[in-house]
Amino acid sequence: MSENNLAARSDGLEGQVSGAQVIARALKTQDVNYIFGIVGIPVTEIALAAQEVGIRYIGMRNEQAACYAASAVGYLTGRPGVCLVVSGPGLIHSLGGMANANMNCWPLIVIGGSSERSQQTMGAFQEFPQVEACRLYSKFSARPSSIKAIPSIIEKAVRSSLYGRPGACYVDIPADFVNLQVNVSSVKYVECCMPPPISMAETSAVSMAASVIRDAKQPLVIIGKGAAYAHAEESIRKLVEQCKLPFLPTPMGKGVIPDNHPNCVAAARSRALQFADVIVLLGARLNWILHFGLPPRYQPDVKFIQVDICAEELGNNVRPAVSLLGDINAVTKQLLEEFDKTPWQYPPESKWWKVLREKMKSNEALCKELASKKSLPMNYYTVFHHVQEQLPRDCFVVSEGANTMDIGRTVLQNYLPRHRLDAGTFGTMGVGLGFAIAAAIVAKDRNPGQRVICVEGDSAFGFSGMEVETMCRYSLPIVLLVVNNNGIYQGFDTDSWKEMLKFGDATTVVPPICLLPHSQYEHVMTAFGGKGYFVQTPEELQKSLRQSLADTTNPSLINIMIEPQATRKAQDFHWLTKSNL
Ligand SMILES: Cc1ncc(C[n+]2csc(CCOP(=O)(O)OP(=O)(O)O)c2C)c(N)n1
Ligand SMILES: [Mg+2]
């Protein structure tokens, strides 16, 4: 497309407005402030028009990463980000992001250009049944019937993404809408949708929940990312402190109450889950992450008090003792009122606290021992110990990988809510760089100087590695750590790799978990002007971290070579019974 052509299109004719301009203004009216995407026919003009109305446009290198980034903006800011994609393959690449947003219950809008209406069913360029395709991955999927209908469809998409359980919504824009001009006066913009109404639980259910908690012998509070999204940090902290309850965060529930809070029993997670007799679930689902709430990971007679924004979630996998339907913050406040009326505390000197504290102590000692190992190559614990030492308190921690993410989560501390982003409910590899970019863009606008640390397994990094260019292009000072064990879960060192190849072609002899040993991922960063470090020792790691954190304008990538066969410490889940607790 020529420059003239672009200029003419974005200016529009006097008294007229293009479809692209209507979309941009409708988004701005709905307080949508960030678009991530990849342009091409027919959506380039939409991105241009968005920039003209003051929406930030972040061009990414793959629609999947763009969609992950847009969804993270929704979680971090409470207003959905937009992922803007071209027709056909562009839209299909964004489906991973839509599914991931839905699984995480994060608001997201995907806007997809589609082929011209007049060419429908004719084999048009990138023609695809997009509205239908998105239905399975969204709460709402629709195409406006005319340009005039765009503002109300966009308002409905934004509202649907936010109300009830948040999720992804899709708006389809046929190519012929984008440049079509209509009279300015013929378009009516719909006011910004109201924030989601706050729902509260039934009062009788709240008092029942309070009485179940009071009768608990071994209580536990589990804080999920639903609680983080609901900004329930203050009320939950009050509840935990006032009633002196032990709590456990889910991976992205970390930071709702700081990880170093004395009531946090994360270091005794398995034990806490297995022997609790009453569990208060605050915005956490009983899915695979919490072992479905079922034995042998839980007591068969454990009483769940389930608090959730989504009625359909209540009763999933277990029959709750009490179901509290409503906004996590509002319902926690309702519970607090009960405990204000009749104060109650769980005795801090109980056997349960003793058991949990002892388990935490022994687990922490084990981690410390692993972290202090001097042998090279380093193990995961040594690496994360040094990272934790330099981690700014208010930084965003983004992470993905298998061992890298799981071990990193136990060592890297979160002190603030909504500051951890990871593979999440869907266990998706490839989210990390998009999430890190989203967090860095939000930080730049809301809290300049705040850092983003992105901790990637070497396999995980490969899924969207080219987004390093995006980081460099927008000067986002992200510190990217690639924890490199030459493989998926584990790998082989260079010598074993060479030995292996003697036995035949790599496709037949190399174990499927293997990646090329000694890969120098840091060059991906230096290729675009960022800083790259290759580190093999704790001292090199410390130095490169210091330098990366000192650079406040450019991203860095630290490629950390670790022992390819390193694994997690043994899990402490045993088939214990109450009697040998
Ligand atoms: C989209 C997607 N593809 C594949 C997987 C399967 N998978 C789970 S973890 C993982 C990568 C683990 O390796 P790495 O990131 O290097 O971390 P490590 O365990 O080696 O520290 C893969 C490929 C997945 N979860 N998601
Ligand atoms: Mg790996």
Side-chain angles (χ1 to χ4, degrees):
M1 191 182 319
S2 75
E3 270 180 32
N4 281 349
N5 209 353
L6 267 184
R9 283 173 179 188
S10 66
D11 283 353
L13 302 169
E14 213 175 318
Q16 303 250 292
V17 66
S18 71
Q21 288 169 317
V22 173
I23 294 164
R25 185 147 165 219
L27 287 171
K28 190 71 190 164
T29 309
Q30 296 306 320
D31 196 22
V32 168
N33 297 301
Y34 302 95
I35 298 182
F36 298 81
I38 298 184
V39 296
I41 298 169
V43 301
T44 309
E45 290 85 346
I46 300 175
L48 282 168
Q51 285 181 316
E52 277 169 20
V53 297
I55 296 176
R56 289 199 192 287
Y57 175 78
I58 300 100
M60 306 278 288
R61 302 304 300 261
N62 183 302
E63 290 87 355
Q64 242 174 39
C67 207
Y68 296 143
S71 70
V73 158
Y75 177 61
L76 297 176
T77 69
R79 290 310 286 185
V82 167
C83 175
L84 179 67
V85 296
V86 300
S87 41
L91 184 272
I92 287 167
H93 288 173
S94 76
L95 294 180
M98 291 176 78
N100 195 64
N102 264 353
M103 293 290 170
N104 277 346
C105 314
W106 290 356
L108 164 74
I109 306 292
V110 175
I111 296 184
S114 55
S115 43
E116 290 198 14
R117 287 171 302 165
S118 63
Q119 296 171 357
Q120 241 170 3
T121 76
M122 294 172 68
F125 174 64
Q126 299 184 331
E127 181 179 355
F128 197 71
Q130 301 185 174
V131 174
E132 291 90 325
C134 288
R135 221 152 251 153
L136 201 54
Y137 305 89
S138 62
K139 293 176 75 179
F140 170 74
S141 178
R143 166 190 283 191
S145 57
S146 66
I147 302 255
K148 283 183 219 166
I150 288 173
S152 61
I153 291 283
I154 285 186
E155 187 271 345
K156 180 158 179 169
V158 170
R159 184 162 38 85
S160 306
S161 78
L162 293 167
Y163 280 33
R165 168 180 274 176
C169 292
Y170 176 65
V171 179
D172 193 72
I173 304 289
D176 48 307
F177 277 9
V178 175
N179 296 312
L180 196 67
Q181 303 277 332
V182 295
N183 279 334
V184 172
S185 57
S186 69
V187 184
K188 301 273 174 288
Y189 292 91
V190 182
E191 258 180 85
C192 184
C193 70
M194 307 274 277
I198 304 290
S199 49
M200 302 222 277
E202 252 175 285
T203 44
S204 59
V206 177
S207 17
M208 199 196 295
S211 96
V212 172
I213 295 171
R214 280 178 219 275
D215 288 343
K217 302 275 176 301
Q218 304 189 160
L220 178 68
V221 174
I222 299 182
I223 304 171
K225 64 178 170 299
Y229 182 79
H231 287 241
E233 47 268 19
E234 240 177 75
S235 55
I236 295 180
R237 190 177 180 137
K238 244 191 200 159
L239 180 72
V240 160
E241 289 181 350
Q242 197 168 313
C243 299
K244 300 208 179 332
L245 295 167
F247 78 89
L248 196 65
T250 65
M252 283 196 262
K254 266 163 72 77
V256 168
I257 304 182
D259 281 339
N260 62 347
H261 190 283
N263 294 27
C264 178
V265 295
R269 180 180 188 273
S270 301
R271 193 61 57 100
L273 296 180
Q274 203 182 354
F275 292 104
D277 68 343
V278 169
I279 296 183
V280 186
L281 284 170
L282 299 173
R285 289 167 283 175
L286 290 175
N287 56 23
W288 66 278
I289 291 184
L290 287 175
H291 318 288
F292 313 107
L294 295 173
R297 305 298 297 252
Y298 293 80
Q299 291 301 308
D301 55 355
V302 55
K303 291 185 173 134
F304 284 103
I305 297 169
Q306 234 183 329
V307 186
D308 208 283
I309 187 81
C310 172
E312 288 86 340
E313 189 57 44
L314 302 167
N316 272 347
N317 302 329
V318 301
R319 190 181 171 84
V322 189
S323 295
L324 300 177
L325 176 63
D327 173 80
I328 308 293
N329 191 27
V331 176
T332 309
K333 283 183 183 160
Q334 287 182 286
L335 279 171
L336 273 169
E337 276 167 26
E338 288 289 321
F339 290 114
D340 280 342
K341 268 190 266 166
T342 322
W344 171 83
Q345 282 186 352
Y346 181 66
E349 298 312 321
S350 62
K351 186 176 172 216
W352 180 228
W353 262 122
K354 211 167 145 229
V355 166
L356 293 172
R357 288 207 181 101
E358 271 167 18
K359 189 69 209 165
M360 288 199 303
K361 243 193 198 159
S362 67
N363 277 346
E364 280 159 0
L366 200 57
C367 289
K368 239 188 190 155
E369 188 194 322
L370 286 162
S372 66
K373 286 230 156 72
K374 297 272 181 281
S375 55
L376 292 178
M378 292 181 279
N379 68 41
Y380 286 102
Y381 292 88
T382 311
V383 168
F384 293 129
H385 165 74
H386 290 293
V387 175
Q388 172 58 29
E389 277 194 334
Q390 292 196 41
L391 213 61
R393 253 187 108 77
D394 68 343
C395 75
F396 287 100
V397 178
V398 179
S399 188
E400 59 176 337
N403 292 320
T404 297
M405 181 175 76
D406 293 342
I407 301 171
R409 184 175 56 237
T410 65
V411 182
L412 304 177
Q413 303 279 292
N414 283 94
Y415 304 103
L416 295 171
R418 300 169 293 284
H419 277 63
R420 179 181 169 88
L421 300 165
D422 67 21
T425 311
F426 214 19
T428 312
M429 294 300 115
V431 294
L433 277 71
F435 284 178
I437 289 167
I441 294 272
V442 169
K444 210 172 179 177
D445 280 352
R446 299 193 164 192
N447 197 4
Q450 189 184 15
R451 303 306 294 264
V452 178
I453 313 294
C454 183
V455 185
E456 298 278 306
D458 51 332
S459 164
F461 173 71
F463 283 77
S464 7
M466 199 46 68
E467 298 303 337
V468 161
E469 188 274 331
T470 311
M471 295 177 181
C472 289
R473 187 163 14 106
Y474 294 110
S475 301
L476 302 172
I478 294 162
V479 179
L480 198 48
L481 309 179
V482 176
V483 183
N484 192 351
N485 61 354
N486 307 333
I488 300 172
Y489 316 124
Q490 287 188 346
F492 286 97
D493 59 25
T494 310
D495 291 344
S496 316
W497 173 263
K498 282 184 187 153
E499 276 303 303
M500 236 167 8
L501 293 184
K502 287 183 188 160
F503 293 94
D505 186 81
T507 53
T508 59
V509 298
V510 170
I513 54 162
C514 278
L515 296 170
L516 194 67
H518 209 77
S519 291
Q520 291 183 272
Y521 293 108
E522 69 281 8
H523 293 325
V524 181
M525 183 60 90
T526 53
F528 304 108
K531 298 265 168 50
Y533 302 88
F534 180 80
V535 313
Q536 292 177 293
T537 65
E539 294 70 32
E540 288 168 355
L541 176 58
Q542 287 168 320
K543 191 170 166 206
S544 61
L545 275 167
R546 260 197 310 277
Q547 290 177 349
S548 304
L549 287 166
D551 190 337
T552 53
T553 43
N554 294 302
S556 315
L557 191 156
I558 308 178
N559 182 16
I560 308 164
M561 299 310 293
I562 64 162
E563 163 58 46
Q565 302 279 310
T567 50
R568 304 170 69 170
K569 73 173 176 59
Q571 289 298 284
D572 63 355
F573 167 68
H574 305 293
W575 300 78
L576 294 175
T577 59
K578 249 182 193 164
S579 55
N580 63 6
L581 165 66

